Amino acid sequence: MSRITHRWGKKIVQHWAIALSLLGLTTACGNPNLPTGSGELNSRYNDEQPSLSGDGRFLSFVSNRNGISQILIYDLERQRFVEVTGLNKNGALAQSPSLSRTGRYIVYLVNEAGRPQIALYDRAIQRSQILSQNYRSWVRNPQISPDGRYIVFESARRGQWDIEVLDRGPRVELDVRDGTPVRNFQ
């Protein structure tokens, strides 16, 4: 092989290496909370456990579109995925999402250390909190009320599956449409 051919081949390899590096950076800088690939609901991915917001605008579900199981939110009106920063954490398995009236609150199960916990995500402040941290029993199937105040779920506290209601309290900021009067009967 001549020196010219060797140099030419080396330059091609360098250009490909740079191009692949840039492609990797572009992919790595993308939003990990929005799915890569198809932006449509029906795709080749495994999508399950759907939940519809009370106003019918948002759909939450568990999907493996990014190669990991995570909760996604889809805006049915705009036909696109919604960014949910801080909802899906690395290494945590999230499942059973439930949406409040306008989709502000999302209650779901998260399993970080081998035990499911009930978590609440507030889209307004983009933060999650564990609601069942001091709860010693197994829990499953959480559902949130349309206004976001109450959460019902199944627990095994008495050695069988029972239904429990968690009241977030009268001071919680309710999920209501702008301009809707809030009636507090307490």
Side-chain angles (χ1 to χ4, degrees):
M1 177 174 357
S2 72
R3 271 189 142 161
I4 296 173
T5 307
H6 179 69
R7 274 193 228 158
W8 179 251
K10 189 175 182 180
K11 284 195 182 250
I12 289 174
V13 169
Q14 287 174 341
H15 287 291
W16 272 106
I18 291 170
L20 290 174
S21 296
L22 289 174
L23 179 64
L25 282 174
T26 304
T27 304
C29 292
N31 185 341
N33 296 314
L34 293 178
T36 56
S38 174
E40 299 174 0
L41 279 181
N42 296 319
S43 67
R44 64 181 181 86
Y45 299 97
N46 186 25
D47 299 330
E48 58 188 9
Q49 303 172 16
S51 174
L52 196 59
S53 63
D55 64 4
R57 178 173 176 181
F58 295 100
L59 173 69
S60 68
F61 57 96
V62 176
S63 179
N64 69 345
R65 291 176 188 231
N66 289 340
I68 57 171
S69 182
Q70 62 183 353
I71 294 175
L72 298 177
I73 308 295
Y74 190 79
D75 186 335
L76 294 167
E77 186 176 293
R78 294 186 178 160
Q79 295 186 350
R80 64 179 180 156
F81 286 95
V82 176
E83 184 176 342
V84 283
T85 304
L87 174 62
N88 297 297
K89 298 188 176 164
N90 291 340
L93 178 64
Q95 57 187 351
S96 301
S98 175
L99 296 170
S100 60
R101 178 176 288 115
T102 66
R104 174 182 175 172
Y105 297 115
I106 305 164
V107 68
Y108 59 100
L109 287 181
V110 64
N111 191 335
E112 292 183 81
R115 188 171 198 88
Q117 297 285 337
I118 297 173
L120 176 85
Y121 179 79
D122 185 345
R123 285 183 44 214
I125 60 172
Q126 298 181 334
R127 229 180 267 150
S128 279
Q129 68 179 34
I130 301 293
L131 299 178
S132 62
Q133 192 166 9
N134 296 324
Y135 205 82
R136 300 194 186 281
S137 300
W138 287 91
V139 294
R140 68 181 185 187
N141 299 323
Q143 298 288 313
I144 193 163
S145 64
D147 64 6
R149 178 173 172 177
Y150 300 98
I151 297 166
V152 297
F153 58 96
E154 296 173 49
S155 80
R157 184 167 47 135
R158 297 183 325 140
Q160 65 183 30
W161 289 109
D162 291 318
I163 297 171
E164 298 204 27
V165 179
L166 185 136
D167 182 353
R168 294 180 55 217
R171 297 182 189 255
V172 69
E173 191 171 325
L174 299 178
D175 184 359
V176 295
R177 287 211 173 276
D178 293 337
T180 303
V182 177
R183 294 183 185 170
N184 193 347
F185 295 105
Q186 294 194 8

